[in-house]
Amino acid sequence: DLVHPIWRTEAVNQTLNPEWKPLTLRFDDFGGHSASTVVVDCFDWDADGKNDLIGQFRAKLDEFTEGKTFELVSGSNKLGGK
């Protein structure tokens, strides 16, 4: 699978329950294919630049609908995520 970064959010500091600003991406940003897989990685930002991967989820583009939530998965641990 080819990975092409499309968006990077702002860092949300000093919280265990971060909330990010909403964002809107265009269908064309994903090559215009509803079967395209979207990968979302969530990192814990560190000042030394060694950011830690907290979790990830993968979904097909056509699974994204308004109000739908996804869970971040980290190895065998599941973390709540939006």
Side-chain angles (χ1 to χ4, degrees), residues 61-70:
L61 187 56
D62 59 6
E63 293 180 66
F64 285 83
T65 58
E66 187 173 339
K68 180 161 181 163
T69 61
F70 299 89

Side-chain angles (χ1 to χ4, degrees), residues 34-51:
S34 62
S36 296
T37 299
V38 176
V39 179
V40 176
D41 293 328
C42 184
F43 289 88
D44 179 31
W45 182 85
D46 291 323
D48 65 3
K50 296 179 182 177
N51 303 333

Side-chain angles (χ1 to χ4, degrees), residues 6 16 21 24 31 36-37 39 46-47 50 52 60 62 74 80:
I6 294 174
L16 295 176
K21 296 176 186 174
T24 301
S36 296
T37 299
V39 179
D46 291 323
K50 296 179 182 177
D52 303 312
K60 297 288 184 195
D62 59 6
S74 177

Side-chain angles (χ1 to χ4, degrees), residues 8-47:
R8 180 180 217 155
T9 66
E10 73 281 2
V12 180
N13 297 317
Q14 305 299 317
T15 181
L16 295 176
N17 298 300
E19 291 188 26
W20 291 271
K21 296 176 186 174
L23 65 116
T24 301
L25 300 172
R26 299 175 326 142
F27 187 70
D28 291 342
D29 292 336
F30 299 92
H33 302 287
S34 62
S36 296
T37 299
V38 176
V39 179
V40 176
D41 293 328
C42 184
F43 289 88
D44 179 31
W45 182 85
D46 291 323

